[in-house]
Each structure stands twice: as structure tokens, then as C-alpha cells.
Amino acid sequence: MSQAPDPNTLETDRLILRPQRVGDAAVFHQLWTERDARVPVHRQIGPDGRPTEADIVSHIRAQQGDSGLGLLTVERMGAAVIGYCGLVFNGNGEADEPELAFELLRSFHNHGYATEAAWAVISRAADFGYPRLWATVWDWNVSSRRVLEKLGFRDTGRVNADSRHGRSLLTVRDS
């Protein structure tokens, strides 16, 4: 007997986007170690070594059971975990409208995976009744800006943060 598909899992031609599992923590920790030095300190591994892989495991456990609208693990079809993509409710756009977030291991940049994963999330968001999505991106993050442009996001002209880390630009996509 075949198992019914998980309603919180998305599939594309090359990717599976699924709820996060404790076993994903090692890859998520690696994402933290690969981050550009220009990102704010709270998004980098601190001098105390945190977040540790155990911290990330605790976070994943706390999120388990969320709907398919949160951050999903991205894995290549029949292969390994390569990052995450999904929706967060940070309040950076309009109230009660989600923000698209994605991050992939550097070795998987420039292969179209972020765009492919994000299209699946955008489609899911529309199914859940969210025709408009927001995204923030650092002005210096040319790769992510290019992904957002391909997805139809446009710069709102609003800067969420202007600091020594650069300018965090707010973008929006209307379906």
C-alpha cells in the first residue's frame, strides 16, 4: 500500500521541499558558517559558538507541527539537503502578509535551485490565499536580488535597515 503524500511537502522537477527534521540541523548549521561576513552579527555564529547544532535541533523541535507555510527544508530529488525556503511572518511588509525567505549552501548557488524552490512556495502561498508576498534582501546580495527579480519581486523603495552591514531593501510581489 502506498503512503498518501504529505500535504506540507512540495515537489518540483528537481527538488523536494518538506517540513524540517532534526537531521537537517547539520546542514542548517553549515549555512550559518557560510554566511557572508557583511550580514548582521545576530545572523552569524557568535564568539561563544552559538548557535550550535544542538541549538538548531531545539529550534526545529519547537517548530514541528507547523503548517506547510513555514520554512521548508530543500533537498535535491533523491539526494541531500541543500538549504531552506519558505514563508515567515516578520511584519516587514503589510500586517498578516508573509515574507519569502531562502538560503542554500554555497555549493548549490547558480544552478536555479533557489528560484525553483521559491516558485513552489509562491504557488503554495497563493493556494493559502496570499496573493502578495514580501522579501527583504541586502543591497550587496546580488545573487538573491537576481532570484527575487526572476520571481517578479520589485523594489518598493523602502529600506528596512541602513547600517554598516549595508541597506536591507524591501521588495514585493503581487500575483
Side-chain angles (χ1 to χ4, degrees), residues 125-163:
D127 292 345
F128 274 80
Y130 293 103
R132 182 165 50 188
L133 298 177
W134 301 86
T136 54
V137 62
W138 290 103
D139 58 354
W140 48 260
N141 191 339
V142 177
S143 295
S144 291
R145 289 178 70 184
R146 192 170 37 247
V147 168
L148 291 170
E149 184 178 307
K150 288 177 193 175
L151 297 167
F153 282 80
R154 61 181 167 70
D155 191 337
T156 64
R158 187 169 129 198
V159 176
N160 271 12
D162 195 351
S163 69

PDB file of all heavy atoms in Angstrom, residues 125-163:
ATOM      1  N   ALA A 125       1.707  29.624  -1.396  1.00  0.00           N
ATOM      2  CA  ALA A 125       1.187  30.828  -0.729  1.00  0.00           C
ATOM      3  C   ALA A 125      -0.115  31.279  -1.381  1.00  0.00           C
ATOM      4  O   ALA A 125      -1.072  31.646  -0.691  1.00  0.00           O
ATOM      5  CB  ALA A 125       2.226  31.945  -0.772  1.00  0.00           C
ATOM      6  N   ALA A 126      -0.172  31.226  -2.697  1.00  0.00           N
ATOM      7  CA  ALA A 126      -1.405  31.602  -3.400  1.00  0.00           C
ATOM      8  C   ALA A 126      -2.537  30.652  -3.031  1.00  0.00           C
ATOM      9  O   ALA A 126      -3.679  31.084  -2.813  1.00  0.00           O
ATOM     10  CB  ALA A 126      -1.166  31.610  -4.905  1.00  0.00           C
ATOM     11  N   ASP A 127      -2.224  29.355  -2.922  1.00  0.00           N
ATOM     12  CA  ASP A 127      -3.237  28.369  -2.516  1.00  0.00           C
ATOM     13  C   ASP A 127      -3.789  28.671  -1.122  1.00  0.00           C
ATOM     14  O   ASP A 127      -4.937  28.372  -0.835  1.00  0.00           O
ATOM     15  CB  ASP A 127      -2.653  26.947  -2.515  1.00  0.00           C
ATOM     16  CG  ASP A 127      -2.326  26.435  -3.904  1.00  0.00           C
ATOM     17  OD1 ASP A 127      -2.782  27.025  -4.905  1.00  0.00           O
ATOM     18  OD2 ASP A 127      -1.585  25.422  -3.991  1.00  0.00           O
ATOM     19  N   PHE A 128      -2.950  29.251  -0.260  1.00  0.00           N
ATOM     20  CA  PHE A 128      -3.355  29.590   1.101  1.00  0.00           C
ATOM     21  C   PHE A 128      -3.992  30.990   1.179  1.00  0.00           C
ATOM     22  O   PHE A 128      -4.295  31.469   2.264  1.00  0.00           O
ATOM     23  CB  PHE A 128      -2.169  29.510   2.062  1.00  0.00           C
ATOM     24  CG  PHE A 128      -1.913  28.132   2.610  1.00  0.00           C
ATOM     25  CD1 PHE A 128      -1.233  27.182   1.871  1.00  0.00           C
ATOM     26  CD2 PHE A 128      -2.355  27.778   3.878  1.00  0.00           C
ATOM     27  CE1 PHE A 128      -0.989  25.910   2.370  1.00  0.00           C
ATOM     28  CE2 PHE A 128      -2.117  26.506   4.395  1.00  0.00           C
ATOM     29  CZ  PHE A 128      -1.437  25.574   3.633  1.00  0.00           C
ATOM     30  N   GLY A 129      -4.153  31.627   0.020  1.00  0.00           N
ATOM     31  CA  GLY A 129      -4.819  32.932  -0.002  1.00  0.00           C
ATOM     32  C   GLY A 129      -3.909  34.128   0.195  1.00  0.00           C
ATOM     33  O   GLY A 129      -4.369  35.193   0.615  1.00  0.00           O
ATOM     34  N   TYR A 130      -2.632  33.985  -0.112  1.00  0.00           N
ATOM     35  CA  TYR A 130      -1.685  35.095  -0.009  1.00  0.00           C
ATOM     36  C   TYR A 130      -1.223  35.511  -1.412  1.00  0.00           C
ATOM     37  O   TYR A 130      -0.224  35.012  -1.906  1.00  0.00           O
ATOM     38  CB  TYR A 130      -0.469  34.720   0.841  1.00  0.00           C
ATOM     39  CG  TYR A 130      -0.793  34.487   2.282  1.00  0.00           C
ATOM     40  CD1 TYR A 130      -0.873  33.194   2.792  1.00  0.00           C
ATOM     41  CD2 TYR A 130      -1.035  35.553   3.138  1.00  0.00           C
ATOM     42  CE1 TYR A 130      -1.179  32.974   4.132  1.00  0.00           C
ATOM     43  CE2 TYR A 130      -1.345  35.340   4.479  1.00  0.00           C
ATOM     44  CZ  TYR A 130      -1.413  34.058   4.963  1.00  0.00           C
ATOM     45  OH  TYR A 130      -1.718  33.843   6.275  1.00  0.00           O
ATOM     46  N   PRO A 131      -1.946  36.429  -2.058  1.00  0.00           N
ATOM     47  CA  PRO A 131      -1.550  36.836  -3.402  1.00  0.00           C
ATOM     48  C   PRO A 131      -0.344  37.775  -3.425  1.00  0.00           C
ATOM     49  O   PRO A 131       0.302  37.932  -4.450  1.00  0.00           O
ATOM     50  CB  PRO A 131      -2.780  37.564  -3.928  1.00  0.00           C
ATOM     51  CG  PRO A 131      -3.438  38.113  -2.701  1.00  0.00           C
ATOM     52  CD  PRO A 131      -3.172  37.084  -1.617  1.00  0.00           C
ATOM     53  N   ARG A 132      -0.030  38.384  -2.276  1.00  0.00           N
ATOM     54  CA  ARG A 132       1.112  39.307  -2.215  1.00  0.00           C
ATOM     55  C   ARG A 132       2.126  38.782  -1.207  1.00  0.00           C
ATOM     56  O   ARG A 132       1.766  38.397  -0.091  1.00  0.00           O
ATOM     57  CB  ARG A 132       0.659  40.704  -1.817  1.00  0.00           C
ATOM     58  CG  ARG A 132       1.805  41.677  -1.785  1.00  0.00           C
ATOM     59  CD  ARG A 132       1.417  43.116  -1.742  1.00  0.00           C
ATOM     60  NE  ARG A 132       0.444  43.389  -0.719  1.00  0.00           N
ATOM     61  CZ  ARG A 132      -0.162  44.557  -0.579  1.00  0.00           C
ATOM     62  NH1 ARG A 132       0.108  45.537  -1.416  1.00  0.00           N
ATOM     63  NH2 ARG A 132      -1.029  44.743   0.383  1.00  0.00           N
ATOM     64  N   LEU A 133       3.385  38.787  -1.622  1.00  0.00           N
ATOM     65  CA  LEU A 133       4.481  38.356  -0.760  1.00  0.00           C
ATOM     66  C   LEU A 133       5.534  39.452  -0.712  1.00  0.00           C
ATOM     67  O   LEU A 133       5.708  40.211  -1.666  1.00  0.00           O
ATOM     68  CB  LEU A 133       5.131  37.074  -1.290  1.00  0.00           C
ATOM     69  CG  LEU A 133       4.251  35.842  -1.379  1.00  0.00           C
ATOM     70  CD1 LEU A 133       5.036  34.696  -2.001  1.00  0.00           C
ATOM     71  CD2 LEU A 133       3.717  35.458  -0.015  1.00  0.00           C
ATOM     72  N   TRP A 134       6.256  39.477   0.383  1.00  0.00           N
ATOM     73  CA  TRP A 134       7.327  40.431   0.603  1.00  0.00           C
ATOM     74  C   TRP A 134       8.644  39.678   0.701  1.00  0.00           C
ATOM     75  O   TRP A 134       8.651  38.476   0.964  1.00  0.00           O
ATOM     76  CB  TRP A 134       7.079  41.198   1.905  1.00  0.00           C
ATOM     77  CG  TRP A 134       5.767  41.924   1.886  1.00  0.00           C
ATOM     78  CD1 TRP A 134       4.547  41.416   2.236  1.00  0.00           C
ATOM     79  CD2 TRP A 134       5.535  43.249   1.454  1.00  0.00           C
ATOM     80  NE1 TRP A 134       3.570  42.363   2.055  1.00  0.00           N
ATOM     81  CE2 TRP A 134       4.149  43.503   1.575  1.00  0.00           C
ATOM     82  CE3 TRP A 134       6.354  44.267   0.977  1.00  0.00           C
ATOM     83  CZ2 TRP A 134       3.586  44.722   1.241  1.00  0.00           C
ATOM     84  CZ3 TRP A 134       5.791  45.482   0.645  1.00  0.00           C
ATOM     85  CH2 TRP A 134       4.422  45.696   0.779  1.00  0.00           C
ATOM     86  N   ALA A 135       9.731  40.374   0.519  1.00  0.00           N
ATOM     87  CA  ALA A 135      11.068  39.796   0.742  1.00  0.00           C
ATOM     88  C   ALA A 135      12.029  40.932   1.036  1.00  0.00           C
ATOM     89  O   ALA A 135      11.946  41.994   0.410  1.00  0.00           O
ATOM     90  CB  ALA A 135      11.537  39.003  -0.469  1.00  0.00           C
ATOM     91  N   THR A 136      12.904  40.715   1.987  1.00  0.00           N
ATOM     92  CA  THR A 136      13.977  41.676   2.234  1.00  0.00           C
ATOM     93  C   THR A 136      15.270  41.069   1.710  1.00  0.00           C
ATOM     94  O   THR A 136      15.446  39.853   1.709  1.00  0.00           O
ATOM     95  CB  THR A 136      14.120  42.007   3.735  1.00  0.00           C
ATOM     96  OG1 THR A 136      14.283  40.796   4.475  1.00  0.00           O
ATOM     97  CG2 THR A 136      12.909  42.767   4.242  1.00  0.00           C
ATOM     98  N   VAL A 137      16.143  41.942   1.247  1.00  0.00           N
ATOM     99  CA  VAL A 137      17.409  41.494   0.677  1.00  0.00           C
ATOM    100  C   VAL A 137      18.440  42.598   0.868  1.00  0.00           C
ATOM    101  O   VAL A 137      18.124  43.781   0.740  1.00  0.00           O
ATOM    102  CB  VAL A 137      17.241  41.125  -0.819  1.00  0.00           C
ATOM    103  CG1 VAL A 137      16.810  42.316  -1.657  1.00  0.00           C
ATOM    104  CG2 VAL A 137      18.495  40.491  -1.384  1.00  0.00           C
ATOM    105  N   TRP A 138      19.650  42.203   1.229  1.00  0.00           N
ATOM    106  CA  TRP A 138      20.728  43.185   1.363  1.00  0.00           C
ATOM    107  C   TRP A 138      21.090  43.714  -0.013  1.00  0.00           C
ATOM    108  O   TRP A 138      21.149  42.953  -0.991  1.00  0.00           O
ATOM    109  CB  TRP A 138      21.947  42.563   2.039  1.00  0.00           C
ATOM    110  CG  TRP A 138      21.687  42.269   3.475  1.00  0.00           C
ATOM    111  CD1 TRP A 138      21.421  41.045   4.034  1.00  0.00           C
ATOM    112  CD2 TRP A 138      21.599  43.214   4.532  1.00  0.00           C
ATOM    113  NE1 TRP A 138      21.181  41.190   5.381  1.00  0.00           N
ATOM    114  CE2 TRP A 138      21.282  42.517   5.718  1.00  0.00           C
ATOM    115  CE3 TRP A 138      21.758  44.601   4.610  1.00  0.00           C
ATOM    116  CZ2 TRP A 138      21.133  43.139   6.948  1.00  0.00           C
ATOM    117  CZ3 TRP A 138      21.610  45.220   5.845  1.00  0.00           C
ATOM    118  CH2 TRP A 138      21.299  44.496   6.985  1.00  0.00           C
ATOM    119  N   ASP A 139      21.361  45.007  -0.102  1.00  0.00           N
ATOM    120  CA  ASP A 139      21.683  45.623  -1.390  1.00  0.00           C
ATOM    121  C   ASP A 139      22.899  44.978  -2.046  1.00  0.00           C
ATOM    122  O   ASP A 139      22.977  44.889  -3.269  1.00  0.00           O
ATOM    123  CB  ASP A 139      21.860  47.141  -1.254  1.00  0.00           C
ATOM    124  CG  ASP A 139      22.936  47.566  -0.257  1.00  0.00           C
ATOM    125  OD1 ASP A 139      23.516  46.709   0.444  1.00  0.00           O
ATOM    126  OD2 ASP A 139      23.187  48.790  -0.174  1.00  0.00           O
ATOM    127  N   TRP A 140      23.833  44.472  -1.272  1.00  0.00           N
ATOM    128  CA  TRP A 140      25.038  43.853  -1.816  1.00  0.00           C
ATOM    129  C   TRP A 140      24.838  42.392  -2.222  1.00  0.00           C
ATOM    130  O   TRP A 140      25.705  41.794  -2.856  1.00  0.00           O
ATOM    131  CB  TRP A 140      26.192  43.947  -0.807  1.00  0.00           C
ATOM    132  CG  TRP A 140      25.849  43.538   0.587  1.00  0.00           C
ATOM    133  CD1 TRP A 140      25.551  44.365   1.633  1.00  0.00           C
ATOM    134  CD2 TRP A 140      25.753  42.202   1.104  1.00  0.00           C
ATOM    135  NE1 TRP A 140      25.284  43.620   2.763  1.00  0.00           N
ATOM    136  CE2 TRP A 140      25.400  42.290   2.468  1.00  0.00           C
ATOM    137  CE3 TRP A 140      25.936  40.933   0.553  1.00  0.00           C
ATOM    138  CZ2 TRP A 140      25.222  41.179   3.278  1.00  0.00           C
ATOM    139  CZ3 TRP A 140      25.760  39.824   1.360  1.00  0.00           C
ATOM    140  CH2 TRP A 140      25.410  39.956   2.704  1.00  0.00           C
ATOM    141  N   ASN A 141      23.687  41.797  -1.897  1.00  0.00           N
ATOM    142  CA  ASN A 141      23.440  40.382  -2.200  1.00  0.00           C
ATOM    143  C   ASN A 141      22.866  40.249  -3.614  1.00  0.00           C
ATOM    144  O   ASN A 141      21.678  40.037  -3.812  1.00  0.00           O
ATOM    145  CB  ASN A 141      22.503  39.771  -1.160  1.00  0.00           C
ATOM    146  CG  ASN A 141      22.429  38.272  -1.274  1.00  0.00           C
ATOM    147  OD1 ASN A 141      22.745  37.690  -2.308  1.00  0.00           O
ATOM    148  ND2 ASN A 141      21.981  37.626  -0.210  1.00  0.00           N
ATOM    149  N   VAL A 142      23.735  40.386  -4.586  1.00  0.00           N
ATOM    150  CA  VAL A 142      23.337  40.418  -5.987  1.00  0.00           C
ATOM    151  C   VAL A 142      22.645  39.119  -6.411  1.00  0.00           C
ATOM    152  O   VAL A 142      21.650  39.150  -7.132  1.00  0.00           O
ATOM    153  CB  VAL A 142      24.564  40.708  -6.893  1.00  0.00           C
ATOM    154  CG1 VAL A 142      24.187  40.662  -8.364  1.00  0.00           C
ATOM    155  CG2 VAL A 142      25.156  42.064  -6.537  1.00  0.00           C
ATOM    156  N   SER A 143      23.130  37.977  -5.946  1.00  0.00           N
ATOM    157  CA  SER A 143      22.527  36.693  -6.333  1.00  0.00           C
ATOM    158  C   SER A 143      21.077  36.603  -5.867  1.00  0.00           C
ATOM    159  O   SER A 143      20.189  36.229  -6.644  1.00  0.00           O
ATOM    160  CB  SER A 143      23.323  35.522  -5.756  1.00  0.00           C
ATOM    161  OG  SER A 143      24.598  35.486  -6.313  1.00  0.00           O
ATOM    162  N   SER A 144      20.812  36.941  -4.608  1.00  0.00           N
ATOM    163  CA  SER A 144      19.436  36.877  -4.109  1.00  0.00           C
ATOM    164  C   SER A 144      18.562  37.936  -4.762  1.00  0.00           C
ATOM    165  O   SER A 144      17.383  37.689  -5.034  1.00  0.00           O
ATOM    166  CB  SER A 144      19.411  37.041  -2.584  1.00  0.00           C
ATOM    167  OG  SER A 144      19.972  35.903  -1.977  1.00  0.00           O
ATOM    168  N   ARG A 145      19.121  39.089  -5.034  1.00  0.00           N
ATOM    169  CA  ARG A 145      18.337  40.127  -5.738  1.00  0.00           C
ATOM    170  C   ARG A 145      17.936  39.631  -7.121  1.00  0.00           C
ATOM    171  O   ARG A 145      16.822  39.859  -7.573  1.00  0.00           O
ATOM    172  CB  ARG A 145      19.139  41.419  -5.818  1.00  0.00           C
ATOM    173  CG  ARG A 145      19.261  42.098  -4.446  1.00  0.00           C
ATOM    174  CD  ARG A 145      20.091  43.331  -4.495  1.00  0.00           C
ATOM    175  NE  ARG A 145      19.384  44.377  -5.223  1.00  0.00           N
ATOM    176  CZ  ARG A 145      19.919  45.557  -5.485  1.00  0.00           C
ATOM    177  NH1 ARG A 145      21.130  45.859  -5.058  1.00  0.00           N
ATOM    178  NH2 ARG A 145      19.240  46.452  -6.150  1.00  0.00           N
ATOM    179  N   ARG A 146      18.837  38.921  -7.781  1.00  0.00           N
ATOM    180  CA  ARG A 146      18.543  38.377  -9.109  1.00  0.00           C
ATOM    181  C   ARG A 146      17.449  37.317  -9.026  1.00  0.00           C
ATOM    182  O   ARG A 146      16.538  37.278  -9.853  1.00  0.00           O
ATOM    183  CB  ARG A 146      19.825  37.810  -9.730  1.00  0.00           C
ATOM    184  CG  ARG A 146      19.700  37.492 -11.196  1.00  0.00           C
ATOM    185  CD  ARG A 146      21.026  37.155 -11.883  1.00  0.00           C
ATOM    186  NE  ARG A 146      21.965  36.393 -11.082  1.00  0.00           N
ATOM    187  CZ  ARG A 146      23.136  36.859 -10.638  1.00  0.00           C
ATOM    188  NH1 ARG A 146      23.513  38.085 -10.898  1.00  0.00           N
ATOM    189  NH2 ARG A 146      23.942  36.083  -9.935  1.00  0.00           N
ATOM    190  N   VAL A 147      17.488  36.453  -8.005  1.00  0.00           N
ATOM    191  CA  VAL A 147      16.435  35.447  -7.816  1.00  0.00           C
ATOM    192  C   VAL A 147      15.095  36.146  -7.629  1.00  0.00           C
ATOM    193  O   VAL A 147      14.099  35.798  -8.277  1.00  0.00           O
ATOM    194  CB  VAL A 147      16.746  34.526  -6.613  1.00  0.00           C
ATOM    195  CG1 VAL A 147      15.527  33.685  -6.239  1.00  0.00           C
ATOM    196  CG2 VAL A 147      17.933  33.627  -6.916  1.00  0.00           C
ATOM    197  N   LEU A 148      15.054  37.139  -6.753  1.00  0.00           N
ATOM    198  CA  LEU A 148      13.794  37.844  -6.493  1.00  0.00           C
ATOM    199  C   LEU A 148      13.264  38.521  -7.755  1.00  0.00           C
ATOM    200  O   LEU A 148      12.059  38.510  -8.018  1.00  0.00           O
ATOM    201  CB  LEU A 148      13.973  38.853  -5.367  1.00  0.00           C
ATOM    202  CG  LEU A 148      14.208  38.231  -3.990  1.00  0.00           C
ATOM    203  CD1 LEU A 148      14.610  39.304  -2.977  1.00  0.00           C
ATOM    204  CD2 LEU A 148      12.984  37.456  -3.517  1.00  0.00           C
ATOM    205  N   GLU A 149      14.144  39.071  -8.551  1.00  0.00           N
ATOM    206  CA  GLU A 149      13.731  39.704  -9.807  1.00  0.00           C
ATOM    207  C   GLU A 149      13.097  38.667 -10.750  1.00  0.00           C
ATOM    208  O   GLU A 149      12.052  38.921 -11.350  1.00  0.00           O
ATOM    209  CB  GLU A 149      14.936  40.364 -10.471  1.00  0.00           C
ATOM    210  CG  GLU A 149      14.588  41.140 -11.728  1.00  0.00           C
ATOM    211  CD  GLU A 149      15.806  41.814 -12.318  1.00  0.00           C
ATOM    212  OE1 GLU A 149      16.510  42.550 -11.584  1.00  0.00           O
ATOM    213  OE2 GLU A 149      16.063  41.600 -13.523  1.00  0.00           O
ATOM    214  N   LYS A 150      13.726  37.497 -10.869  1.00  0.00           N
ATOM    215  CA  LYS A 150      13.177  36.427 -11.719  1.00  0.00           C
ATOM    216  C   LYS A 150      11.787  36.002 -11.245  1.00  0.00           C
ATOM    217  O   LYS A 150      10.959  35.563 -12.040  1.00  0.00           O
ATOM    218  CB  LYS A 150      14.095  35.202 -11.708  1.00  0.00           C
ATOM    219  CG  LYS A 150      15.382  35.376 -12.445  1.00  0.00           C
ATOM    220  CD  LYS A 150      16.218  34.117 -12.298  1.00  0.00           C
ATOM    221  CE  LYS A 150      17.634  34.329 -12.727  1.00  0.00           C
ATOM    222  NZ  LYS A 150      18.472  33.149 -12.464  1.00  0.00           N
ATOM    223  N   LEU A 151      11.554  36.104  -9.931  1.00  0.00           N
ATOM    224  CA  LEU A 151      10.277  35.693  -9.346  1.00  0.00           C
ATOM    225  C   LEU A 151       9.209  36.782  -9.447  1.00  0.00           C
ATOM    226  O   LEU A 151       8.073  36.566  -9.030  1.00  0.00           O
ATOM    227  CB  LEU A 151      10.478  35.313  -7.878  1.00  0.00           C
ATOM    228  CG  LEU A 151      11.400  34.127  -7.614  1.00  0.00           C
ATOM    229  CD1 LEU A 151      11.759  34.048  -6.144  1.00  0.00           C
ATOM    230  CD2 LEU A 151      10.759  32.825  -8.099  1.00  0.00           C
ATOM    231  N   GLY A 152       9.572  37.936  -9.965  1.00  0.00           N
ATOM    232  CA  GLY A 152       8.607  39.017 -10.115  1.00  0.00           C
ATOM    233  C   GLY A 152       8.522  39.972  -8.935  1.00  0.00           C
ATOM    234  O   GLY A 152       7.588  40.766  -8.847  1.00  0.00           O
ATOM    235  N   PHE A 153       9.491  39.919  -8.028  1.00  0.00           N
ATOM    236  CA  PHE A 153       9.526  40.875  -6.931  1.00  0.00           C
ATOM    237  C   PHE A 153      10.070  42.202  -7.453  1.00  0.00           C
ATOM    238  O   PHE A 153      10.940  42.221  -8.316  1.00  0.00           O
ATOM    239  CB  PHE A 153      10.422  40.373  -5.787  1.00  0.00           C
ATOM    240  CG  PHE A 153       9.771  39.341  -4.918  1.00  0.00           C
ATOM    241  CD1 PHE A 153       9.704  38.015  -5.328  1.00  0.00           C
ATOM    242  CD2 PHE A 153       9.224  39.682  -3.691  1.00  0.00           C
ATOM    243  CE1 PHE A 153       9.103  37.049  -4.538  1.00  0.00           C
ATOM    244  CE2 PHE A 153       8.622  38.730  -2.887  1.00  0.00           C
ATOM    245  CZ  PHE A 153       8.552  37.399  -3.312  1.00  0.00           C
ATOM    246  N   ARG A 154       9.541  43.296  -6.931  1.00  0.00           N
ATOM    247  CA  ARG A 154      10.024  44.612  -7.310  1.00  0.00           C
ATOM    248  C   ARG A 154      10.405  45.394  -6.055  1.00  0.00           C
ATOM    249  O   ARG A 154       9.823  45.203  -4.991  1.00  0.00           O
ATOM    250  CB  ARG A 154       8.986  45.365  -8.137  1.00  0.00           C
ATOM    251  CG  ARG A 154       7.695  45.615  -7.423  1.00  0.00           C
ATOM    252  CD  ARG A 154       6.661  46.350  -8.273  1.00  0.00           C
ATOM    253  NE  ARG A 154       5.355  46.296  -7.666  1.00  0.00           N
ATOM    254  CZ  ARG A 154       4.992  46.928  -6.559  1.00  0.00           C
ATOM    255  NH1 ARG A 154       5.853  47.688  -5.941  1.00  0.00           N
ATOM    256  NH2 ARG A 154       3.778  46.807  -6.064  1.00  0.00           N
ATOM    257  N   ASP A 155      11.369  46.261  -6.211  1.00  0.00           N
ATOM    258  CA  ASP A 155      11.842  47.094  -5.107  1.00  0.00           C
ATOM    259  C   ASP A 155      10.747  48.093  -4.748  1.00  0.00           C
ATOM    260  O   ASP A 155      10.199  48.765  -5.620  1.00  0.00           O
ATOM    261  CB  ASP A 155      13.108  47.820  -5.540  1.00  0.00           C
ATOM    262  CG  ASP A 155      13.835  48.502  -4.408  1.00  0.00           C
ATOM    263  OD1 ASP A 155      13.209  48.817  -3.369  1.00  0.00           O
ATOM    264  OD2 ASP A 155      15.044  48.738  -4.564  1.00  0.00           O
ATOM    265  N   THR A 156      10.425  48.195  -3.464  1.00  0.00           N
ATOM    266  CA  THR A 156       9.399  49.132  -3.009  1.00  0.00           C
ATOM    267  C   THR A 156       9.962  50.528  -2.777  1.00  0.00           C
ATOM    268  O   THR A 156       9.195  51.469  -2.576  1.00  0.00           O
ATOM    269  CB  THR A 156       8.767  48.663  -1.680  1.00  0.00           C
ATOM    270  OG1 THR A 156       9.774  48.680  -0.666  1.00  0.00           O
ATOM    271  CG2 THR A 156       8.150  47.285  -1.821  1.00  0.00           C
ATOM    272  N   GLY A 157      11.284  50.635  -2.764  1.00  0.00           N
ATOM    273  CA  GLY A 157      11.913  51.902  -2.433  1.00  0.00           C
ATOM    274  C   GLY A 157      12.082  52.082  -0.929  1.00  0.00           C
ATOM    275  O   GLY A 157      12.651  53.073  -0.475  1.00  0.00           O
ATOM    276  N   ARG A 158      11.590  51.139  -0.160  1.00  0.00           N
ATOM    277  CA  ARG A 158      11.691  51.211   1.301  1.00  0.00           C
ATOM    278  C   ARG A 158      12.935  50.449   1.769  1.00  0.00           C
ATOM    279  O   ARG A 158      13.185  49.331   1.334  1.00  0.00           O
ATOM    280  CB  ARG A 158      10.441  50.599   1.925  1.00  0.00           C
ATOM    281  CG  ARG A 158      10.385  50.786   3.433  1.00  0.00           C
ATOM    282  CD  ARG A 158       9.012  50.405   3.946  1.00  0.00           C
ATOM    283  NE  ARG A 158       9.168  49.474   5.052  1.00  0.00           N
ATOM    284  CZ  ARG A 158       8.214  48.694   5.513  1.00  0.00           C
ATOM    285  NH1 ARG A 158       7.030  48.692   4.938  1.00  0.00           N
ATOM    286  NH2 ARG A 158       8.427  47.892   6.524  1.00  0.00           N
ATOM    287  N   VAL A 159      13.697  51.055   2.639  1.00  0.00           N
ATOM    288  CA  VAL A 159      14.881  50.434   3.215  1.00  0.00           C
ATOM    289  C   VAL A 159      14.533  50.036   4.641  1.00  0.00           C
ATOM    290  O   VAL A 159      14.153  50.874   5.452  1.00  0.00           O
ATOM    291  CB  VAL A 159      16.082  51.402   3.194  1.00  0.00           C
ATOM    292  CG1 VAL A 159      17.288  50.790   3.894  1.00  0.00           C
ATOM    293  CG2 VAL A 159      16.427  51.773   1.756  1.00  0.00           C
ATOM    294  N   ASN A 160      14.617  48.732   4.936  1.00  0.00           N
ATOM    295  CA  ASN A 160      14.293  48.242   6.283  1.00  0.00           C
ATOM    296  C   ASN A 160      15.392  48.524   7.284  1.00  0.00           C
ATOM    297  O   ASN A 160      15.121  48.709   8.462  1.00  0.00           O
ATOM    298  CB  ASN A 160      14.016  46.736   6.256  1.00  0.00           C
ATOM    299  CG  ASN A 160      12.567  46.443   5.990  1.00  0.00           C
ATOM    300  OD1 ASN A 160      11.795  47.320   5.615  1.00  0.00           O
ATOM    301  ND2 ASN A 160      12.183  45.203   6.179  1.00  0.00           N
ATOM    302  N   ALA A 161      16.615  48.496   6.826  1.00  0.00           N
ATOM    303  CA  ALA A 161      17.750  48.777   7.708  1.00  0.00           C
ATOM    304  C   ALA A 161      18.857  49.390   6.869  1.00  0.00           C
ATOM    305  O   ALA A 161      19.080  48.986   5.734  1.00  0.00           O
ATOM    306  CB  ALA A 161      18.245  47.492   8.369  1.00  0.00           C
ATOM    307  N   ASP A 162      19.497  50.378   7.425  1.00  0.00           N
ATOM    308  CA  ASP A 162      20.627  51.027   6.782  1.00  0.00           C
ATOM    309  C   ASP A 162      21.714  51.094   7.838  1.00  0.00           C
ATOM    310  O   ASP A 162      21.589  51.830   8.820  1.00  0.00           O
ATOM    311  CB  ASP A 162      20.227  52.422   6.297  1.00  0.00           C
ATOM    312  CG  ASP A 162      21.214  53.009   5.306  1.00  0.00           C
ATOM    313  OD1 ASP A 162      22.293  52.413   5.114  1.00  0.00           O
ATOM    314  OD2 ASP A 162      20.905  54.057   4.726  1.00  0.00           O
ATOM    315  N   SER A 163      22.716  50.249   7.679  1.00  0.00           N
ATOM    316  CA  SER A 163      23.734  50.147   8.719  1.00  0.00           C
ATOM    317  C   SER A 163      25.082  49.850   8.086  1.00  0.00           C
ATOM    318  O   SER A 163      25.209  49.803   6.863  1.00  0.00           O
ATOM    319  CB  SER A 163      23.362  49.024   9.688  1.00  0.00           C
ATOM    320  OG  SER A 163      23.478  47.768   9.043  1.00  0.00           O
TER     321      SER A 163
END
